[in-house]
């Protein structure tokens, strides 16, 4: 490596270390104190701070004090712990949705709700990527609820279950029985419980990054009904295995 390349790499390393130190400090210490603590020359520290402010990665909050800037927050908001899973799952779910003329989803249980990470297919509907829906009345939601610990499930079912259609299961005892059946057969069914014109089948993915995920297919209830669920679940289970294989 040439001396100019070494110098550039060293400057980049210093800038990144300074960005991390200032951001973690959150403006409690002056920039000069942080620079000295890192063993940087004051002139070098001032130059790097100015560069990071110019790029929007840091912002001045008072004289001599800085914190993370708007650009840093924008970048952080684009970082997802699910990014690798989404990348692996999307093309497989797209092919499955096209083959079945349905809509395929990938979801995760977050904050007592289902977050939909991938949506591929023909259904317009009201579910969009990164939207959250209640778990108790959706295929993915019931699949994920079925794998909660008893303590977490007790806490979840302590809250009222609001009916969205005439078929929504709202009685906690009936919901427990539904989740037991879901766990036993290995797939979940939404039989017009979220919407009158929608049926859904969901199967689990392996536990990844400390979270449980599920994938589903949904469409008109004339096809997506309990009698056809085993056939649809088998296709979803094959897709789930392929997603897991892609993740190694």
């Amino acid at each position: 490596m040439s001396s100019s390349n070494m110098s550039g790499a060293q400057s980049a390393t210093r800038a990144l270390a300074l960005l991390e130190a200032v951001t973690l400090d959150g403006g409690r210490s002056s920039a000069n104190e942080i620079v000295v603590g890192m063993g940087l020359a004051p002139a070098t520290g001032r130059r790097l701070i100015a560069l990071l402010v110019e790029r929007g990665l840091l912002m001045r909050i008072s004289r001599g004090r800085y914190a993370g800037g708007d650009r840093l927050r924008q970048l952080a908001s684009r970082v997802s712990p699910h990014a690798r899973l989404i990348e692996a799952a999307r093309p497989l779910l797209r092919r499955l949705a096209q083959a079945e003329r349905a809509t395929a989803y990938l979801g995760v249980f977050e904050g007592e709700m289902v977050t939909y990470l991938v949506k591929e297919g023909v259904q317009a509907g009201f579910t969009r990527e990164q939207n959250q829906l209640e778990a108790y009345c959706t295929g993915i939601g019931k699949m994920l609820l079925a794998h909660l610990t008893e303590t977490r499930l007790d806490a979840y079912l302590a809250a009222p279950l609001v009916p969205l259609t005439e078929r929504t299961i709202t009685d906690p005892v009936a919901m427990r029985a539904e989740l037991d059946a879901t766990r036993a057969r290995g797939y979940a069914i939404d039989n017009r419980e979220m919407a009158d014109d929608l049926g859904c089948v969901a199967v689990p993915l392996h536990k990844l990054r400390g979270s449980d995920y599920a994938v589903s297919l949904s469409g008109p209830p004339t096809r997506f009904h309990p009698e056809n669920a085993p056939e649809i679940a088998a296709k979803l289970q094959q897709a789930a295995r392929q997603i897991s294989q892609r993740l190694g």
Side-chain angles (χ1 to χ4, degrees):
M1 183 182 292
S2 67
S3 59
S4 61
N5 287 339
M6 290 180 63
S7 176
Q10 188 178 49
S11 295
T13 299
R14 287 172 175 172
L16 290 172
L18 184 57
L19 173 63
E20 180 179 359
V22 173
T23 301
L24 291 175
D25 180 81
R28 292 186 298 272
S29 307
S30 69
N32 185 61
E33 290 171 326
I34 295 173
V35 166
V36 171
M38 294 177 60
L40 296 177
T44 299
R46 287 193 295 271
R47 177 174 56 80
L48 293 177
I49 290 283
L51 174 63
L52 293 169
V53 170
E54 179 184 345
R55 299 293 297 177
L57 298 172
L58 292 180
M59 60 184 293
R60 182 180 176 183
I61 57 175
S62 65
R63 184 170 182 176
R65 297 178 188 271
Y66 297 84
D70 290 337
R71 182 58 178 161
L72 184 62
R73 282 191 287 273
Q74 291 169 1
L75 292 172
S77 70
R78 300 296 296 272
V79 177
S80 168
H82 313 297
R84 184 165 174 259
L85 173 59
I86 291 171
E87 182 182 4
R90 186 180 297 282
L92 293 168
L93 293 179
R94 181 182 298 126
R95 284 203 296 270
L96 181 61
Q98 290 171 346
E100 298 302 315
R101 296 183 180 181
T103 303
Y105 294 96
L106 165 68
V108 62
F109 192 66
E110 293 181 326
E112 310 305 307
M113 303 278 283
V114 175
T115 300
Y116 288 84
L117 304 174
V118 172
K119 176 184 179 180
E120 291 288 340
V122 299
Q123 176 189 321
F126 42 78
T127 305
R128 295 179 174 84
E129 291 186 8
Q130 300 306 318
N131 274 13
Q132 288 192 314
L133 290 178
E134 297 287 353
Y136 63 89
C137 50
T138 64
I140 283 181
K142 288 199 282 186
M143 193 72 256
L144 297 174
L145 288 175
H147 288 89
L148 292 184
T149 64
E150 282 299 316
T151 300
R152 286 195 69 192
L153 184 58
D154 287 344
Y156 182 87
L157 293 178
L161 305 180
V162 178
L164 299 182
T165 73
E166 292 182 354
R167 292 176 174 267
T168 307
I169 301 172
T170 58
D171 177 68
V173 175
M175 179 56 69
R176 284 184 184 277
E178 172 74 4
L179 297 178
D180 288 342
T182 295
R183 196 180 308 110
R185 67 183 172 235
Y187 60 86
I189 300 170
D190 163 13
N191 185 21
R192 292 179 282 171
E193 297 162 52
M194 168 62 75
D196 289 318
D197 60 350
L198 188 68
C200 179
V201 178
V203 304
L205 284 177
H206 292 301
K207 194 161 188 153
L208 304 167
R209 297 183 64 91
S211 296
D212 284 316
Y213 300 84
V215 292
S216 70
L217 275 173
S218 65
T222 50
R223 176 163 183 241
F224 286 82
H225 54 80
E227 288 77 10
N228 288 344
E231 172 197 345
I232 297 168
K235 295 175 181 178
L236 281 165
Q237 287 161 347
Q238 180 180 6
R241 286 191 295 270
Q242 292 173 333
I243 293 169
S244 295
Q245 288 168 0
R246 285 195 170 194
L247 292 170

